[in-house]
Amino acid sequence: MGLRKGQKELVEKYRGGYCAVPAIPGGGKTYCLTMWAAEIISQGLHKPGKILIVTYMNSAANNFKQRLSSELARRGIEDSKDFFVSTIHGLCLEIVKEKPDVILADNEFEIVDDAVKRSFLSRAVYEWRTVNDDRFKFFVEEQYLTQSRIQATYKNWHEKFCALMSSCISDFKCRGMEAREALEKCMDLDDTSILKCASEVYAIYDRNMKISGYLDFDDMLCYAKKILKEDASLLSKYRNKFTFVCEDEAQDSNRIQTEILEMIAGGNLLRVGDSNQAICGSFTSSDSTLFKNFCNMPETVVYNITQSSRNTREIIDLANYLVRYVMEKHPVPECRDSLLPQFIETVGKEDEFPNPVIGEYGIKGRIFRSWEEEARAVARQAQFMTEKYRDKTIAILAPTHTKIEGIVDALKAYNVQFEELDSSSHERSRPLRIIGRILKFLSSPENGEVFVDMVNDCYLDETFTEVSETGNENIGNTGQYTEIDYRERLKNYLVKQSVYDILYPVNGETVFSNISDELSKSNVWRKFRSSLDSIRELLEIGEKSIEEL
């Protein structure tokens, strides 16, 4: 594949200094950066240092490594050690390991993933609430809630409050504020200020993490910057190590990441991104204005990549129309400067990979009366598409976690196989939830509600399709019994029974009395009956050898 407009200028002309490459979707950013790096290495212009390429996903880092290694091999350069590709967190971890004493006295620390971070944060919020519950409840208008909804509302608010605290703490860290400084800066704010609440939760969270010897991803960035700022010899080492520093997806960078890369680059910084694709600012500490400002600096050379062969003419026209609409007609005037006048162009007719052409317009829209109706329609369409195009993959995007859950439920109801990529998805958290349910049951085997919860999560977490007497499949809330109805009936029935009598009946055979015919004939009931031997084995774990376990 040849070099297109913007790509060609970068590969042939950029040899140092500040350079920005604003690139439209499908513009070939990875290919362009790969060809530039291969050209620099082929000519030896990077020596005596290396080229550092920083990305924000492990998959992207691996993609860069593979592509650049293949291109260098094609040019006769095997096993090159002239470049280093890393995520920003991987780079910062390497820096932090140079000076572990800056973090903890015993020089030992462990990086925790998002699941552990959420657990520590939730505990910190609960600890904060023990003396600040009135402030926590201040944000919930309890007078408008029925008694039955109050508990569920506070549980939901706790989860949202934790997410809000996480965002604030991340922002504190990205601004270089340690817990003590955040407390001092927020001290004079009103008690109901979210920032003041966050500074106090931050102090508890930070204390508990340090006691456990843990760091989260934001900590790595903070400490990496601190170390480089305070240790001139170490900063000099990294500047000598990397002649060029390249940042991919620069529109999703945040303040502290930008500062770290600028410190290491020492003047030779290449940033590639698309400010119109900056979607992370609403749920991370990223700041798209940083890349915009970098592009506008007088010392920055800018090469625009505007051609793409990924999409049809119709999709490109729609994307460009939406950019113009936001810039010129958005109903909120303050939003009109949120996008840049960066429009996608089709490639030339002579291009090796021309834009696809279709016989009919490929963009459709529908209006639904409710979100539930929309989720079911999306699931039905996914079912149709997966059966029609068995060799293709289909992406479904949703604006919020709640919406994702609705689509997931609908996909399960239609028996559509899928993978949920949301970081807090049901599938990713299921192993931890199962282990938790089992441990809780083993600690309180006589508790009926604990037993039911364990059965429901560990043995009935499967999609069934019930069939009515007329032979029609019941999917969703149709007013007749469905899979979800039977689970609830099973729960209501089991909590009234003795767990011991269910698992260890006097005469060896469990007798279930007062059970409805509908429940006794359901798939859920059959699944429950078949799980009893396995549940008994759980209670007998103490009698098993390690090999048996």
Side-chain angles (χ1 to χ4, degrees):
M1 176 175 152
L3 294 170
R4 295 170 180 161
K5 183 171 59 175
Q7 297 176 339
K8 181 178 176 66
E9 288 80 0
L10 173 70
V11 173
E12 294 180 354
K13 295 181 179 181
Y14 176 62
R15 297 297 181 265
Y18 279 5
C19 180
V21 183
I24 46 84
K29 297 190 297 292
T30 303
Y31 172 75
C32 176
L33 193 51
T34 297
M35 297 304 291
W36 171 81
E39 188 68 19
I40 293 295
I41 292 172
S42 298
Q43 296 184 29
L45 300 177
H46 61 295
K47 294 185 179 297
K50 300 180 180 183
I51 295 175
L52 170 64
I53 300 175
V54 175
T55 70
Y56 297 98
M57 298 286 289
N58 286 318
S59 57
N62 293 332
N63 186 30
F64 264 117
K65 291 175 187 176
Q66 184 178 7
R67 286 196 180 195
L68 187 49
S69 296
S70 298
E71 178 59 27
L72 290 172
R74 190 184 69 80
R75 300 183 185 210
I77 304 174
E78 301 285 350
D79 299 324
S80 174
K81 301 190 184 305
D82 296 304
F83 67 92
F84 179 66
V85 185
S86 173
T87 63
I88 184 66
H89 296 107
L91 172 66
C92 290
L93 178 59
E94 180 180 302
I95 295 170
V96 167
K97 284 183 175 179
E98 300 262 10
K99 304 274 289 186
D101 55 297
V102 172
I103 304 168
L104 298 170
D106 60 6
N107 295 349
E108 294 184 5
F109 59 87
E110 181 180 345
I111 307 300
V112 299
D113 59 20
D114 285 340
V116 176
K117 176 183 176 179
R118 284 195 297 270
S119 175
F120 268 78
L121 192 59
S122 181
R123 284 165 50 191
V125 170
Y126 273 123
E127 184 175 339
W128 177 83
R129 285 180 59 184
T130 58
V131 291
N132 296 284
D133 208 40
D134 288 343
R135 294 165 68 191
F136 174 81
K137 292 180 177 180
F138 169 81
F139 300 97
V140 178
E141 296 180 318
E142 191 173 307
Q143 66 270 27
Y144 297 111
L145 300 174
T146 61
Q147 195 63 35
S148 59
R149 289 187 57 199
I150 287 178
Q151 186 175 359
T153 300
Y154 278 123
K155 179 181 178 182
N156 184 48
W157 171 230
H158 176 87
E159 295 172 357
K160 293 184 182 300
F161 189 79
C162 286
L164 186 58
M165 295 298 99
S166 177
S167 179
C168 290
I169 292 171
S170 179
D171 196 60
F172 283 140
K173 291 181 179 181
C174 287
R175 293 175 184 274
M177 289 189 208
E178 295 186 9
R180 182 180 300 176
E181 183 182 357
L183 271 175
E184 291 174 354
K185 286 186 177 293
C186 298
M187 185 181 301
D188 295 330
L189 296 177
D190 188 83
D191 279 349
T192 57
S193 164
I194 288 293
L195 282 177
K196 186 170 185 178
C197 296
S199 68
E200 294 165 1
V201 173
Y202 180 14
I204 299 170
Y205 170 78
D206 185 64
R207 180 200 67 208
N208 293 342
M209 290 282 282
K210 285 179 178 176
I211 290 174
S212 301
Y214 289 158
L215 297 180
D216 61 28
F217 289 133
D218 291 327
D219 288 326
M220 281 194 291
L221 271 65
C222 291
Y223 284 117
K225 177 191 170 184
K226 179 181 174 69
I227 290 169
L228 292 175
K229 193 173 181 179
E230 296 177 354
D231 193 327
S233 62
L234 185 62
L235 176 59
S236 178
K237 171 185 172 180
Y238 274 88
R239 283 182 173 175
N240 293 331
K241 183 177 181 179
F242 300 118
T243 306
F244 294 95
V245 175
C246 310
E247 181 186 23
D248 187 31
E249 304 294 354
Q251 77 279 356
D252 292 328
S253 187
N254 62 35
R255 181 182 299 185
I256 195 166
Q257 292 170 192
T258 298
E259 290 173 348
I260 290 170
L261 295 180
E262 287 179 347
M263 290 170 70
I264 295 175
N268 291 336
L269 179 60
L270 169 60
R271 306 184 74 191
V272 183
D274 179 6
S275 295
N276 290 359
Q277 289 191 78
I279 62 172
C280 296
S282 60
F283 50 87
T284 72
S285 57
S286 67
D287 183 354
S288 62
T289 63
L290 296 170
F291 183 55
K292 291 179 184 178
N293 295 338
F294 181 80
C295 294
N296 293 329
M297 289 168 53
E299 62 267 40
T300 301
V301 176
V302 179
Y303 299 114
N304 287 286
I305 296 178
T306 57
Q307 291 182 312
S308 172
S309 62
R310 177 184 293 175
N311 300 309
T312 63
R313 171 92 249 178
E314 291 79 7
I315 291 178
I316 289 175
D317 288 343
L318 175 61
N320 289 337
Y321 168 80
L322 291 174
V323 171
R324 288 192 183 92
Y325 173 82
V326 170
M327 294 179 61
E328 300 171 5
K329 300 179 181 180
H330 196 286
V332 181
E334 291 80 5
C335 293
R336 292 177 186 173
D337 61 351
S338 60
L339 298 182
L340 296 178
Q342 191 165 292
F343 302 104
I344 308 171
E345 302 172 10
T346 57
V347 300
K349 295 181 180 179
E350 72 286 351
D351 196 279
E352 184 180 353
F353 297 96
N355 294 84
V357 178
I358 60 172
E360 61 175 323
Y361 197 68
I363 304 171
K364 296 181 174 64
R366 286 182 61 185
I367 298 176
F368 299 92
R369 290 171 295 182
S370 67
W371 166 248
E372 291 73 21
E373 180 185 354
E374 181 177 346
R376 289 193 294 270
V378 169
R380 284 196 300 270
Q381 184 67 17
Q383 182 185 48
F384 169 76
M385 297 292 285
T386 53
E387 292 175 355
K388 183 176 181 180
Y389 303 103
R390 296 182 180 275
D391 60 332
K392 305 292 184 181
T393 56
I394 298 169
I396 299 175
L397 305 181
T400 65
H401 295 305
T402 304
K403 296 290 193 292
I404 291 174
E405 292 172 0
I407 292 175
V408 164
D409 290 340
L411 290 172
K412 287 181 178 179
Y414 284 98
N415 292 321
V416 179
Q417 297 296 315
F418 65 91
E419 179 182 3
E420 191 178 351
L421 299 181
D422 176 48
S423 61
S424 59
S425 70
H426 175 85
E427 287 303 315
R428 294 191 180 195
S429 61
R430 183 170 180 259
L432 289 176
R433 190 174 64 256
I434 286 176
I435 292 172
R437 291 297 193 197
I438 290 174
L439 292 176
K440 193 170 183 179
F441 170 64
L442 292 178
S443 66
S444 305
E446 75 290 343
N447 189 310
E449 290 190 1
V450 171
F451 172 68
V452 170
D453 288 340
M454 188 270 295
V455 168
N456 198 49
D457 272 351
C458 302
Y459 292 95
L460 303 180
D461 194 20
E462 181 180 338
T463 299
F464 298 95
T465 301
E466 297 288 331
V467 180
S468 66
E469 294 182 1
T470 58
N472 295 321
E473 291 187 344
N474 296 326
I475 300 175
N477 292 325
T478 61
Q480 303 177 54
Y481 288 137
T482 64
E483 162 67 15
I484 298 175
D485 290 326
Y486 285 123
R487 285 176 187 267
E488 191 63 27
R489 286 198 162 226
L490 176 64
K491 177 179 179 179
N492 293 337
Y493 176 79
L494 292 179
V495 293
K496 299 175 183 177
Q497 313 301 314
S498 163
V499 178
Y500 187 86
D501 289 342
I502 292 175
L503 296 175
Y504 300 103
V506 176
N507 297 320
E509 180 66 29
T510 304
V511 177
F512 294 98
S513 57
N514 300 322
I515 181 172
S516 67
D517 289 340
E518 294 92 344
L519 180 59
S520 66
K521 296 176 181 177
S522 69
N523 290 337
V524 174
W525 180 257
R526 285 190 286 272
K527 184 72 175 178
F528 163 70
R529 291 294 302 270
S530 67
S531 70
L532 293 179
D533 286 340
S534 176
I535 295 172
R536 294 186 189 99
E537 288 185 17
L538 287 175
L539 291 171
E540 297 162 6
I541 281 178
E543 302 173 7
K544 293 182 179 294
S545 65
I546 295 297
E547 290 75 13
E548 287 178 304
L549 289 175

